[in-house]
């Protein structure tokens, strides 16, 4: 939600009408980008990794902050919980108005929240939220267990009651991957046996290696759940090279490339959870909540299981 004219004027009274775009490097080498007047809301965005999802999420955060008249500094934790805490400490030292955090691991949130609370800096989370939301400013939540469950439902319907073998290629342990995989495996019918479950670390090279070993150990594999589309392409390549073109892949994201793969049959299904919508929601909600506007504290991001039958309904994934 955008700030009202009255709120925005109050926030930028010190330098009304002037615009300053910042571009440089933070102390840890990550980019500090896009802002408005020196009196504007300042947001620290701490990203969790380097996948296409995270790149699109950051782009959405930066673009939306600019349109909302807010300044944003960015940092990347590269899937390391220790780096995440250091990034949060760095953002606190910049005296940001609020933090937006795409966490590396939900288990690390307690330390992050405690550090920010001690400094009086509210945290808005993307993708996940703690069980008790009292300690956060808000969250743009993706029901990751539901994402996995939607893919599992497709497998169940496609299998039609047959006994089938299923492989799981997870991401990095913790946070998103654990929730995705748990949602998938818990929703599978009893007739679907998970014969392998290994992490691909959200890395296509690693995922391809895992897939090569998986199909060699389980040549009767029928389905594979892959925790994101980037890995999914590498897994498809490995299966095809092994003569396992019939293994059906279900995955997650809804990128343009992923939708094209659904259209041509490389993927059987993907679950669209738009990084653009998550980033836009996070920034608009953060600005609105700081201004005490009527904004939902917890925003649930829409999900859509995408197959060949409903490709045109998929939301835009990444900002242009």
């Amino acid at each position: 939600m955008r700030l009202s004219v009255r709120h925005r004027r109050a926030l930028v009274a010190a330098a009304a009408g002037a615009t300053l775009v910042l571009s440089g490097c933070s102390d840890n080498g990550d980019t500090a980008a896009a802002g408005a007047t020196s009196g504007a809301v300042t947001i620290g965005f701490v990203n969790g990794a380097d996948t296409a999802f995270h790149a699109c999420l950051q782009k959405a955060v930066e673009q939306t902050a600019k349109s909302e008249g807010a300044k944003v500094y960015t940092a990347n934790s590269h899937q390391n919980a220790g780096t995440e805490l250091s990034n949060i400490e760095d953002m606190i030292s910049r005296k940001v108005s609020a933090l937006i955090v795409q966490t590396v691991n939900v288990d690390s949130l307690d330390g992050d929240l405690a550090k920010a609370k001690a400094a009086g800096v509210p945290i808005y989370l993307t993708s996940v939220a703690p069980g008790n939301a009292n300690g956060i400013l808000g969250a743009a939540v993706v029901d990751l267990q539901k994402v996995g469950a939607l893919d599992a439902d497709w497998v169940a319907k496609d299998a039609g009651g047959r006994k089938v073998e299923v492989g799981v290629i997870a991401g990095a342990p913790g946070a998103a991957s654990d929730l995705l995989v748990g949602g998938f495996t818990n929703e599978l019918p009893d007739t679907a046996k998970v014969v392998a479950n290994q992490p691909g670390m959200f890395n296509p090279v690693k995922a391809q290696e895992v897939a090569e070993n998986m199909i060699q150990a389980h040549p009767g594999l029928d389905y594979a759940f892959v925790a994101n589309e980037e890995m999914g392409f590498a897994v498809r390549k490995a299966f095809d090279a092994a003569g396992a073109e019939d293994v059906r892949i279900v995955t997650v994201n809804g990128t343009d490339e992923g939708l094209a793969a659904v259209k041509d049959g490389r993927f059987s299904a993907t679950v669209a959870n738009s990084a653009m919508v998550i980033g836009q929601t996070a920034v608009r909600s953060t600005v609105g909540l700081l201004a005490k506007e009527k904004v939902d504290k917890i925003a649930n991001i829409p999900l859509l299981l995408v197959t060949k039958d409903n490709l045109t309904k998929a939301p835009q994934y990444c900002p242009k």
Side-chain angles (χ1 to χ4, degrees):
M1 180 179 292
R2 293 182 181 276
L3 285 173
S4 65
V5 172
R6 177 173 59 83
H7 279 127
R8 184 163 289 145
R9 284 176 177 169
L11 287 170
V12 301
T19 300
L20 175 64
V21 177
L22 299 181
S23 180
C25 293
S26 65
D27 294 339
N28 62 8
D30 291 298
T31 303
T37 62
S38 58
V41 168
T42 304
I43 296 170
F45 174 55
V46 178
N47 211 344
D50 307 285
T51 70
F53 166 81
H54 294 88
C56 291
L57 178 64
Q58 180 165 317
K59 191 172 183 179
V61 166
E62 291 173 338
Q63 288 186 1
T64 310
K66 185 176 181 179
S67 70
E68 291 290 326
K71 179 167 64 178
V72 60
Y73 295 102
T74 68
N76 196 306
S77 303
H78 308 295
Q79 296 183 1
N80 185 297
T83 303
E84 179 172 285
L85 185 58
S86 295
N87 285 335
I88 287 173
E89 291 171 342
D90 177 65
M91 294 298 179
I92 290 170
S93 73
R94 293 176 182 274
K95 302 186 184 302
V96 295
S97 308
L99 284 157
I100 295 175
V101 178
Q102 172 72 25
T103 190
V104 168
N105 192 322
V106 290
D107 293 334
S108 68
L109 279 177
D110 287 344
D112 297 344
L113 293 170
K115 181 68 68 171
K117 182 178 180 180
V121 178
I123 285 185
Y124 189 98
L125 297 173
T126 54
S127 297
V128 298
N132 184 349
N134 291 333
I136 61 174
L137 178 65
V141 176
V142 177
D143 188 341
L144 294 168
Q145 289 182 313
K146 183 178 178 181
V147 171
L150 286 170
D151 273 334
D153 286 342
W154 185 90
V155 169
K157 291 176 183 176
D158 189 68
R162 294 181 296 115
K163 289 187 176 181
V164 294
E165 292 187 357
V166 181
V168 172
I169 298 179
S177 180
D178 290 355
L179 293 168
L180 285 168
V181 172
F184 178 77
T185 56
N186 290 338
E187 190 69 14
L188 285 174
D190 292 340
T191 51
K193 181 180 179 182
V194 176
V195 295
N197 184 342
Q198 295 176 262
M201 302 305 294
F202 292 123
N203 182 312
V205 175
K206 175 65 175 176
Q208 184 169 341
E209 178 185 329
V210 168
E212 289 168 348
N213 293 333
M214 186 177 291
I215 198 63
Q216 184 175 358
H218 304 282
L221 198 67
D222 297 291
Y223 299 92
F225 171 75
V226 187
N228 73 6
E229 290 170 358
E230 283 182 280
M231 293 195 299
F233 289 113
V235 171
R236 178 78 278 159
K237 182 178 178 181
F239 287 168
D240 290 354
E245 297 92 345
D246 291 339
V247 177
R248 298 186 176 187
I249 294 175
V250 293
T251 185
V252 179
N253 282 151
T255 63
D256 290 348
E257 297 81 5
L259 298 180
V262 171
K263 185 176 182 179
D264 66 25
R266 284 173 290 165
F267 297 157
S268 293
T270 191
V271 178
N273 58 319
S274 169
M276 183 177 77
V277 173
I278 296 169
Q280 290 173 339
T281 301
V283 173
R284 290 170 183 164
S285 295
T286 296
V287 172
L289 289 164
L290 288 173
K292 308 298 183 183
E293 294 185 349
K294 291 184 178 179
V295 177
D296 289 337
K297 181 171 183 173
I298 305 298
N300 292 302
I301 303 301
L303 302 173
L304 179 68
L305 178 74
V306 182
T307 66
K308 286 183 179 181
D309 296 332
N310 65 344
L311 279 167
T312 58
K313 295 182 179 179
Q316 182 176 336
Y317 183 79
C318 196
K320 300 299 183 184

